[in-house]
Amino acid sequence: MLAKVVRSKAVARAAVIGLALGVFALAVLAAVSITTNARTTDHIERNSRISDHWSQIDVHISVETEALNDYMVAKKFGKDLLDNAVHSTRPDIEWQATHGDRLDKENVVLVQDSYAAFSDTLNELRRTTSNRDRMKELADQATLGASFLRKSANANVNRHRLAMDSYLADAARFNEKLSLAAAVICGADFLLLVLCASVLLTHQRRIEGQAVESRYRALHDDLTGLANRALLADEIEKALRVAEQERESVGLLLLDLNKFKEVNDTLGHHAGDLLLKEVADRLTAAVRSTDTVARLGGDEFAVLMPEIHSPDHGAEIARRLLDSLEGPAELDGVTVDISGSIGAAVFPLHSSSGPELLQHADIAMYTAKRNRLGIAVYDPSADRHSSQELGMIGELRRAIDEEELVLHYQPKVSTSSGRVVGVEALIRWQHPLRGLLFPGDFIPQAEESEIIVPLTDHVLGMALDQHRIWRAQDTLLPVAVNVPTVCLLDDTFPDRVAQALATRGVPAGVLTLEITETSIISDPVRASTILTRLRGLGVRLSVDDFGTGYSSMSYLQSMPLHELKIDRSFVRTVAESHGGAAIVRAVLELARALDLEVVAEGVEDEAALVMLGQLGCANAQGYHISRPVRATDLMAWLGRPVLESA
């Protein structure tokens, strides 16, 4: 019942209106209180001034009386005192006549007359110097006048004091009423605020629930509850991004049921729906926890498999799935036999993008279905040099000329201080039709053609240009660029690096060139010669993905290197297993022995970062610190002003 009341729109509107009125009432009370207090303060100050002047009249009369007494005791000594005291009360009496209230002005008339007589008596006394009796008579007369004046002054002082006490008491009672009214209104406002919050939270939960439900429906199949094509595409893109960073493989299986149309035509669509649910349950029970099962439509299903080791591994998983799937199923009392055909494709071996992975898995599935193989793995050998790949190379040349390539930067930080010590430049392709492409979408094709050389030079120039912009903005960020094997073995590459540095006025020490172990081992003698020339320029040299290649210790010892980058596969387990920590510790000991710096790649969580610091690894990079971002976003991440040019 209460929930229905809270959900009522009328209650929500009433609560908001009531709260607004309550706030307005509090504002009115505050204004009244401020006005009343100001009026009270003004009243008290005015009465205090009037009372002070009456007190001054009393004081001055007393002074004149004392001067009179001194004059009567010692005429010579007291004459000056009496001369100075006479008429001293007149300014206060005149002030009262001008600024006093109505009663003050009425009372001061009598006081003025009495004070005039008192002053005349004193003046006559000062003139009478020989007749002592007359002087005494005048002195007694003046004393009586002074007594009257003092009593009048004190009476008015007391009158004002009593008036102020009464006024303050009235003000206190009024303030008590204001406080009580404010407390009542505050209480009502609090209750209304609670009601408004309840209404707001109820509506927010309802909206969030509807949003979650809508998103779930948009990304899942209504019949089986599995992921639909849209969600599968998203999951494929996520898996490919991770695989690209982790240098791992991703498998995709496409499954098509055999003779599903016969089931629908013979037993009806209800039986077909039951069969699809049974297939979904069997697939879900058979896959790994990291796999994603999706229904693409009709009788077509897909299984996304992150972290597979090889196509054979993917085929082995497909065989297990097919074995779990095949077998009899009872549909409304009718037993049918379930069977299917599975096609498999693997990223990056068979495909360089999500859509291509789906396409190749689909081709493999139709191959399995057409040839009654049960399972088929996509064979890329037949179209390795297809027109699509050739078209990609042509588009890449155009992309270089039309500035479609962009760089994202991933920061490297000190594990001890958290200070950014440099950035790694990573290429992206802002394709006009396909959107933002990652290196895995085009670098493999580029490495198989001559375009990899101008592409590397272009990336190097872009990175140095960006460093120059940062330096002009008082931000010194050393930058690292990946170098492919073909450039490392090119005798002209050091000259091109030197020219790129000189043209832009960038010191060589801020540039790090990252190479792979396989690049070194392919031709160690030539690689050593090129690296020596690069080091002679002042460029820093780093071995990327260390630990996954095949370089021997002798080659590593003979190469003029500055840095080793521990592969992410070891970093990922450094905080989780003794073996991972032992491998990282061994690499660090090796680096110290060879006087090399170390950077840990692929830091994905705080535990790994802390463990690396404890092991003595100086620098780290990874998603836990920051993903690769555009230059402007990097400046915002660093807390620097975002400027586009120098």
Side-chain angles (χ1 to χ4, degrees), residues 301-371:
F301 294 82
V303 178
L304 177 64
M305 305 178 298
E307 301 180 10
I308 66 168
H309 308 307
S310 64
D312 292 339
H313 184 205
E316 179 186 346
I317 296 175
R319 172 55 60 190
R320 290 203 305 266
L321 284 177
L322 196 58
D323 291 342
S324 301
L325 174 70
E326 292 180 333
E330 186 173 324
L331 309 175
D332 282 346
V334 178
T335 301
V336 299
D337 189 61
I338 301 177
S339 64
S341 301
I342 296 179
V346 176
F347 169 89
L349 180 62
H350 298 150
S351 308
S352 60
S353 66
E356 193 175 53
L357 187 65
L358 269 168
Q359 178 187 358
H360 290 171
D362 192 50
I363 292 172
M365 185 267 292
Y366 278 106
T367 300
K369 198 175 187 70
R370 183 174 57 252
N371 299 323

Side-chain angles (χ1 to χ4, degrees), residues 542-621:
S542 174
V543 176
D544 196 13
D545 302 332
F546 181 75
T548 60
Y550 307 96
S551 63
S552 67
M553 293 300 107
S554 60
Y555 291 147
L556 189 63
Q557 184 179 9
S558 63
M559 295 295 169
L561 303 172
H562 296 87
E563 181 182 90
L564 296 180
K565 297 188 73 174
I566 305 176
D567 186 74
R568 67 190 70 251
S569 60
F570 305 126
V571 174
R572 186 171 59 247
T573 60
V574 68
E576 301 173 355
S577 67
H578 176 72
I583 292 175
V584 172
R585 188 180 291 108
V587 174
L588 291 172
E589 290 294 331
L590 174 64
R592 278 191 282 269
L594 297 176
D595 195 25
L596 299 176
E597 298 177 13
V598 177
V599 176
E601 293 181 290
V603 178
E604 303 296 338
D605 53 57
E606 182 68 18
L609 184 61
V610 172
M611 177 61 73
L612 289 168
Q614 294 173 350
L615 292 175
C617 181
N619 302 315
Q621 70 180 98

Side-chain angles (χ1 to χ4, degrees), residues 464-474 643-646:
L464 294 178
D465 286 337
Q466 185 58 59
H467 172 82
R468 184 168 54 85
I469 292 173
W470 285 335
R471 188 176 59 178
Q473 298 167 0
D474 296 325
L643 301 173
E644 291 293 342
S645 60

Side-chain angles (χ1 to χ4, degrees), residues 105-120:
K105 292 178 179 179
E106 291 177 358
N107 293 336
V108 84
V109 173
L110 182 59
V111 170
Q112 283 177 323
D113 293 340
S114 299
Y115 185 69
F118 174 72
S119 299
D120 291 341

Side-chain angles (χ1 to χ4, degrees), residues 142-193:
T143 301
L144 289 174
S147 176
F148 173 77
L149 290 170
R150 292 189 63 194
K151 288 178 180 179
S152 297
N154 286 327
N156 281 284
V157 169
N158 291 331
R159 177 174 63 82
H160 279 285
R161 184 177 293 116
L162 291 174
M164 284 191 290
D165 291 342
S166 176
Y167 191 89
L168 288 173
D170 292 340
R173 285 191 294 271
F174 183 75
N175 285 333
E176 288 178 359
K177 293 178 181 178
L178 283 179
S179 299
L180 179 60
V184 171
I185 294 174
C186 284
D189 282 351
F190 177 75
L191 295 177
L192 290 170
L193 182 62

